[in-house]
Amino acid sequence: MNGVAVKYLTLLNVNTGAAVSGFVTPVIAGGRVNDLVLRGTRLYLGGYFAKVAARAHVGLASLNATTGALDPFMNVQLAGHHNTVAGGARGNIGTIAFDASQDGTRMVVAGNFATANGLPREQLVMIDLDGSSAAVDTTWATTLYTPVCFYWAFDTYMRGITFSPDGSYFVVNATGGGNPGTLCDATVRFETHATGSDIQPTWIDETGGDTVWATAITDTAIFVGGHNRWENNPLGVDTSRAGAVPRPGLEAFDPVSGRPLAWNPGRKPLGVAVFAMLATPQGLWIGSNTDWIGNYKYRRQKIAFFPYAGGQTVASTVTGSLPGTVYLGGSPTIQDSLQTVRFTGTSASPAQNVANGGIPWGSTHEAFMVGNRVFYGASDGLHVATFDGTTWGTPTLVDPYHDPVWENVATGVGSTTFGGQFPDFYSQAPNVTGMVYSAGRVYYTLAGDSQLHWAWFSPDSGIIDQRLSVASSSVDFSSADGLFAYNGTLYYGSTDGYLRAVPFANGAVTGLPTPVSGPLLDGVDWRNHSMFLYQGPG
């Protein structure tokens, strides 16, 4: 380096670019170093090596960050091939990527291994760094990386892994090919402090058969890069299927819901991947094997920088509170009317007619408000309009699935384009009888259906998960007519004109509903085509 022979690892002075002479590493034998993490005075190494300073250190080691000398703290030994299928691919055993929480108490390691210190940990292990020496966390394990994906091609399909800034969760990226029902070619969020022998992810976002590699996390977004064509594509196998959205090789996920945010610069050509990402206070750096950002729009050879200044502001996820104003669109007597009801949580004032913003409320299929935008159902799916309590913006169809910038652009893979597909929720929209947004999810009810359904949702992009789930509930919602929620309570209108309240926490409805307003209680008729709790000034 700079004309001086160095081996294994070196420390550079960032002001001069010169190697620091006092930093000398021991012999690292048996393979290469793939990843580095610095925490305090300790430098952690991960890779496909077998020994450090002639001592067994399969895949992991730690050094003194100042001198480079071996530090005995890390002595977790990785062993075994993930892929044991006869005739399958065989790669080096060890770490492909790892990260440590900012407080230095936890480490997550991804790579080609079946055990860690003799404990079964297929391709992913959590390590406790809070003791006198590193130790495998015996309370954190998952079996979800046990399946083999394309056994002839991959010994391990793990790629990138990163903790959130506060260390409360981490994200894993993978390759592996289109293997529905596995975590191959998917981005996954796990909770750091979950416990169990088969921990499940908080959410999954699949590409539909393409690799996702590097990742960086901020308080606002989870940035991911690969050679993916789409995201939100769980049914796709080298094709865009229901729910798929174009995300050419670069995306940002909503940390809560795992759905892509609106930011969509893309990279064409896709190349092999974005191999490295670094989020700084000023912006995002990426390193790839390609030279262009966008559809051959900005020439950035291998390294690109995305400054936050002048970029997109992520939409608010704030919802309304009580006491507050509930809007009722499309009353039983006036088809396209819009009314307001002041509601405290236990009592309501008489309904008042207000301007309807030009929206045909009698033809809508329920609504919810997040930030300054009202999302409402229609016969063709989900629509959105801004609203400040007085003025309505122009309503538009929520369609991030057919981004006009990328819709008809050839991906360079077969005959595919980057165009996506509407999710199955859009075909359900005409039958929706209530909707509410809460903690990254849209909860909704359907005509004649007793269940409370839900799907992950990003208010920023309007992308809704293709996977549709059912919440645990003690209530029959077959006659529901509008929903809103606040402070652990779900309020729902009914076709009998009453508003009822029921406990609602951690995505589950429990207990018995209580009527809180209605024709014989306070004279308010809650029947509607759309109901939402207002959020904002006024």
Side-chain angles (χ1 to χ4, degrees):
M1 183 172 291
N2 290 337
V4 178
V6 295
K7 294 184 70 174
Y8 314 120
L9 188 65
T10 192
L11 175 65
L12 296 180
N13 183 313
V14 294
N15 294 315
T16 66
V20 176
S21 59
F23 183 86
V24 180
T25 61
V27 174
I28 301 172
R32 68 176 184 263
V33 175
N34 288 329
D35 206 355
L36 302 171
V37 172
L38 176 67
R39 292 292 178 266
T41 60
R42 189 168 281 134
L43 178 67
Y44 294 102
L45 318 180
Y48 293 146
F49 47 82
K51 291 185 177 182
V52 179
R55 299 180 185 180
H57 281 280
V58 182
L60 292 167
S62 55
L63 305 179
N64 182 296
T66 302
T67 67
L70 179 65
D71 175 357
F73 178 80
M74 174 56 70
N75 195 31
V76 173
Q77 306 291 331
L78 307 178
H81 288 274
H82 163 65
N83 183 354
T84 58
V85 178
R90 292 290 184 273
N92 293 326
I93 294 170
T95 300
I96 190 167
F98 74 104
D99 196 18
S101 57
Q102 289 296 320
D103 64 5
T105 62
R106 289 287 184 274
M107 176 183 287
V108 282
V109 180
N112 181 26
F113 51 87
T115 66
N117 274 3
L119 297 174
R121 293 292 189 274
E122 289 281 351
Q123 301 193 94
L124 179 64
V125 61
M126 174 87 71
I127 296 175
D128 185 353
L129 304 178
D130 209 20
S132 58
S133 62
V136 175
D137 187 336
T138 58
T139 68
W140 202 105
T142 182
T143 63
L144 292 178
Y145 290 104
T146 300
V148 173
C149 293
F150 287 180
Y151 74 91
W152 62 90
F154 301 102
D155 198 348
T156 179
Y157 46 86
M158 307 300 268
R159 288 299 180 258
I161 190 166
T162 304
F163 272 108
S164 63
D166 66 359
S168 63
Y169 70 90
F170 62 95
V171 167
V172 182
N173 284 334
T175 184
N179 290 270
T182 72
L183 299 184
C184 295
D185 288 341
T187 297
V188 181
R189 169 175 167 162
F190 286 102
E191 303 307 310
T192 304
H193 300 292
T195 58
S197 59
D198 189 18
I199 292 170
Q200 300 298 300
T202 303
W203 50 252
I204 306 168
D205 202 308
E206 295 101 330
T207 65
D210 294 330
T211 299
V212 277
W213 200 304
T215 179
I217 304 178
T218 68
D219 291 334
T220 305
I222 297 168
F223 295 100
V224 167
H227 64 239
N228 49 294
R229 290 163 283 180
W230 310 281
E231 289 290 357
N232 202 50
N233 191 23
L235 302 179
V237 179
D238 277 331
T239 58
S240 68
R241 296 284 299 278
V245 293
R247 286 299 183 273
L250 191 61
E251 54 272 355
F253 291 107
D254 179 336
V256 177
S257 69
R259 298 315 96 192
L261 297 171
W263 186 71
N264 190 22
R267 297 169 40 253
K268 187 184 177 185
L270 296 170
V272 176
V274 174
F275 297 108
M277 284 183 160
L278 176 65
T280 72
Q282 291 74 39
L284 176 72
W285 292 90
I286 71 168
S288 72
N289 71 320
T290 57
D291 297 338
W292 295 91
I293 300 298
N295 184 13
Y296 294 97
K297 188 174 183 180
Y298 303 103
R299 187 172 179 85
R300 298 291 187 272
Q301 293 176 284
K302 310 302 186 289
I303 297 175
F305 178 64
F306 298 85
Y308 299 141
Q312 294 175 238
T313 300
V314 176
S316 170
T317 58
V318 176
T319 55
S321 59
L322 297 176
T325 301
V326 179
Y327 281 77
L328 302 175
S331 76
T333 56
I334 306 176
Q335 180 75 354
D336 291 331
S337 66
L338 186 63
Q339 297 178 314
T340 61
V341 176
R342 289 293 298 173
F343 181 62
T344 66
T346 56
S347 62
S349 61
Q352 303 292 322
N353 290 316
V354 295
N356 70 0
I359 296 173
W361 290 106
S363 301
T364 62
H365 300 277
E366 294 305 332
F368 60 92
M369 187 172 188
V370 188
N372 69 339
R373 297 194 291 173
V374 176
F375 293 86
Y376 63 90
S379 60
D380 57 350
L382 201 61
H383 289 237
V384 66
T386 58
F387 184 50
D388 64 4
T390 303
T391 304
W392 287 88
T394 302
T396 58
L397 176 69
V398 178
D399 187 12
Y401 311 96
H402 304 91
D403 186 331
V405 175
W406 294 103
E407 172 73 7
N408 297 311
V409 176
T411 66
V413 182
S415 60
T416 60
T417 70
F418 290 110
Q421 305 286 335
F422 284 119
D424 286 350
F425 174 81
Y426 275 46
S427 64
Q428 292 186 339
N431 296 314
V432 169
T433 58
M435 284 194 292
V436 61
Y437 173 84
S438 178
R441 298 176 177 184
V442 169
Y443 294 87
Y444 64 99
T445 54
L446 296 169
D449 188 330
S450 64
Q451 297 177 312
L452 180 65
H453 301 261
W454 69 270
W456 291 115
F457 177 77
S458 168
D460 183 66
S461 62
I463 294 170
I464 194 164
D465 195 355
Q466 167 59 20
R467 287 192 188 85
L468 304 177
S469 303
V470 175
S472 174
S473 175
S474 58
V475 172
D476 182 338
F477 287 101
S478 55
S479 60
D481 191 13
L483 302 171
F484 62 92
Y486 176 67
N487 198 29
T489 299
L490 180 68
Y491 298 89
Y492 67 98
S494 298
T495 53
D496 62 4
Y498 283 82
L499 182 72
R500 292 173 170 83
V502 66
F504 179 58
N506 300 318
V509 175
T510 57
L512 297 176
T514 302
V516 291
S517 177
L520 298 181
L521 293 177
D522 50 23
V524 177
D525 186 346
W526 289 88
R527 290 178 295 169
N528 66 88
H529 284 273
S530 283
M531 174 194 291
F532 65 90
L533 177 61
Y534 176 71
Q535 195 295 121

